[in-house]
Amino acid sequence: MAFRQLLRLLIASAGVASLEFAPVPPPNLQAMAQQPTDTPVQPKPTLKPQERPADVPYVPTPQSVVDEMLKIANVGQDDVVYDLGSGDGRIVITAARTYGARGVGIDINPSLVQAATENAREAGVSNLVEFRQQDLFKTDLSQATVVTLYLLPQINLQLRPKLLQELKPGTRIVSHAFSMGDWHPEKVVKVNGRTIYYWTVPKQVPQNLLRPGPNELLDGY
């Protein structure tokens, strides 16, 4: 009788041991690798050889002027800021970082587009901004709610009809240093000796603004 009880105890102990030391299956590494991560991966811009010389030389806007341009335009988190001739990206990067706005930088120079994209990554706003290697005269501007410029007088004049035809009424335009001829600005602000001009696109566009007048072209205003 004692022998049978001992045998039962040995069998029960063996069963418990087999449960306690059962091998753990290895993790499914392939399944883990397929799980989404918390940080989205932003695609790199598709760059190509520069199609033509830039309309203006690259001269960065001082940060104090950038800040005032965005302040004058009353940029907010619901805005889409297009910077034409975006250079190192500082205007749309500042708009995203300071106001939570989305931004699109347009530049014809692939090296500047690449540098701006890297600057946005370092600033932590790659999810809000993008940079496109495009000719600013061929870019679709219809989605912009704010447009910023630091170009040249004649380029502003050539661009004026496109801005007035493609942008929605109420879209805000801010230019560093140069105005737009007969289209008189609503505000003119000075910052550290530099001039900022501000307009909004009207519901009814005067016909004389849809092409530069001869005096504007001659004088460069």
Side-chain angles (χ1 to χ4, degrees), residues 99-168:
Y99 300 103
R102 290 176 292 154
V104 179
I106 306 297
D107 207 292
I108 201 168
N109 186 323
S111 298
L112 289 175
V113 171
Q114 186 174 29
T117 301
E118 179 61 21
N119 290 341
R121 187 192 66 78
E122 292 179 357
V125 294
S126 294
N127 59 321
L128 290 174
V129 305
E130 64 171 304
F131 296 93
R132 302 173 185 170
Q133 184 194 349
Q134 292 179 348
D135 183 331
L136 59 85
F137 285 100
K138 299 177 181 178
T139 298
D140 179 3
L141 305 177
S142 61
Q143 298 304 307
T145 62
V146 176
V147 173
T148 58
L149 313 168
Y150 183 23
L151 301 171
L152 286 173
Q154 294 300 319
I155 302 303
N156 275 12
L157 279 181
Q158 294 171 34
L159 191 61
R160 187 179 71 191
K162 178 179 175 67
L163 294 170
L164 290 169
Q165 290 172 329
E166 290 189 15
L167 296 173
K168 297 179 289 294

Side-chain angles (χ1 to χ4, degrees), residues 41-117:
V41 178
Q42 297 296 321
K44 293 184 178 180
T46 301
L47 303 177
K48 55 186 182 295
Q50 188 168 327
E51 60 182 277
R52 65 174 180 82
D55 295 297
V56 299
Y58 169 53
V59 179
T61 298
Q63 188 61 44
S64 60
V65 178
V66 170
D67 295 338
E68 190 64 25
M69 290 173 73
L70 298 174
K71 181 180 177 181
I72 291 171
N74 195 27
V75 171
Q77 63 180 5
D78 295 328
D79 281 313
V80 181
V81 180
Y82 273 56
D83 184 28
L84 305 185
S86 52
D88 63 5
R90 64 181 62 190
I91 290 181
V92 293
I93 289 172
T94 302
R97 186 171 53 193
T98 304
Y99 300 103
R102 290 176 292 154
V104 179
I106 306 297
D107 207 292
I108 201 168
N109 186 323
S111 298
L112 289 175
V113 171
Q114 186 174 29
T117 301

